[in-house]
Amino acid sequence: MLYRLFAFIKFWLSSNNQHGVHSPFVYRFITKCLYASPHFNTSKSKNILLKTIAYFKIAQVQLVPSNIALEKEITKNIKGVSFANTSNQIIYIEKLHRETIDELIVDNNSIANDTVVLVNGIYQTEYTHKLWESIKELNQVTVTMDLFYCGLVFFRREQAKEHFKIRI
């Protein structure tokens, strides 16, 4: 618990809002998705997941691990979404492990240019934060957004490698 408190203070001091972002893609995502309505009545990470699905008009979601309650919450708020064991649209990782990174990012041949990976609890422990840092360093990862409660990973080949810390 003490780790998360110090991590939050450090995050808050080093993060910014949309005004510190110079990437048009990230700026649009922050202003038109993260800061925009609606705000779903759920945890911050799940709110970000729902907003991201709606913003990118995602039709297929992969939940790791499978989560029936979250599936119901998503389908209640967003129509036309299906769930699969593999998805090249959005992958939501509830608990981060080294094996999960290897399986879903490093060795995943179905990841496309527009794939989004949302990782919950990147500051849960010092170990999960180190795993998050290792994701940022992967060659195929170009854009990451640290939102403290979760992290977003993008694979946009047309964009330079950048990391953003955004207050939500």
Side-chain angles (χ1 to χ4, degrees):
M1 191 65 171
L2 199 55
Y3 172 78
R4 283 198 70 190
L5 174 65
F6 286 120
F8 182 76
I9 293 167
K10 185 177 174 183
F11 170 84
W12 193 257
L13 293 172
S14 62
S15 62
N16 55 27
N17 57 19
Q18 78 270 18
H19 300 297
V21 174
H22 301 291
S23 162
F25 167 77
V26 175
Y27 181 84
R28 266 190 316 276
F29 179 74
I30 292 168
T31 57
K32 305 249 187 262
C33 177
L34 296 180
Y35 290 168
S37 293
H39 298 285
F40 300 99
N41 190 18
T42 186
S43 71
K44 292 218 184 228
S45 294
K46 291 177 181 146
N47 189 42
I48 292 164
L49 174 64
L50 291 167
K51 286 181 156 208
T52 303
I53 292 168
Y55 178 77
F56 289 117
K57 296 175 178 58
I58 291 173
Q60 191 175 65
V61 177
Q62 179 180 357
L63 302 176
V64 181
S66 183
N67 183 331
I68 301 299
L70 184 53
E71 284 183 23
K72 287 180 182 177
E73 189 169 351
I74 292 170
T75 53
K76 178 182 90 174
N77 289 292
I78 302 169
K79 304 299 178 225
V81 176
S82 66
F83 302 91
N85 291 333
T86 60
S87 174
N88 67 351
Q89 294 183 342
I90 191 164
I91 303 167
Y92 176 78
I93 301 171
E94 181 66 37
K95 298 209 184 297
L96 193 57
H97 303 285
R98 169 57 54 199
E99 299 79 21
T100 309
I101 295 171
D102 291 342
E103 178 185 340
L104 298 175
I105 299 174
V106 175
D107 300 328
N108 189 345
N109 294 328
S110 67
I111 286 193
N113 194 55
D114 296 327
T115 301
V116 180
V117 176
L118 194 151
V119 181
N120 188 35
I122 60 174
Y123 287 94
Q124 199 66 36
T125 64
E126 193 171 350
Y127 176 70
T128 56
H129 189 251
K130 285 180 182 176
L131 291 174
W132 168 249
E133 293 294 324
S134 73
I135 290 172
K136 291 172 20 183
E137 299 302 318
L138 295 172
N139 289 335
Q140 64 267 47
V141 172
T142 54
V143 176
T144 55
M145 284 186 230
D146 178 342
L147 308 173
F148 187 76
Y149 306 97
C150 63
L152 289 159
V153 181
F154 297 90
F155 304 88
R156 299 169 44 84
R157 289 183 289 280
E158 66 274 15
Q159 192 157 347
K161 191 172 190 82
E162 287 187 89
H163 176 68
F164 301 91
K165 286 185 173 186
I166 306 296
R167 282 182 236 124
I168 54 168

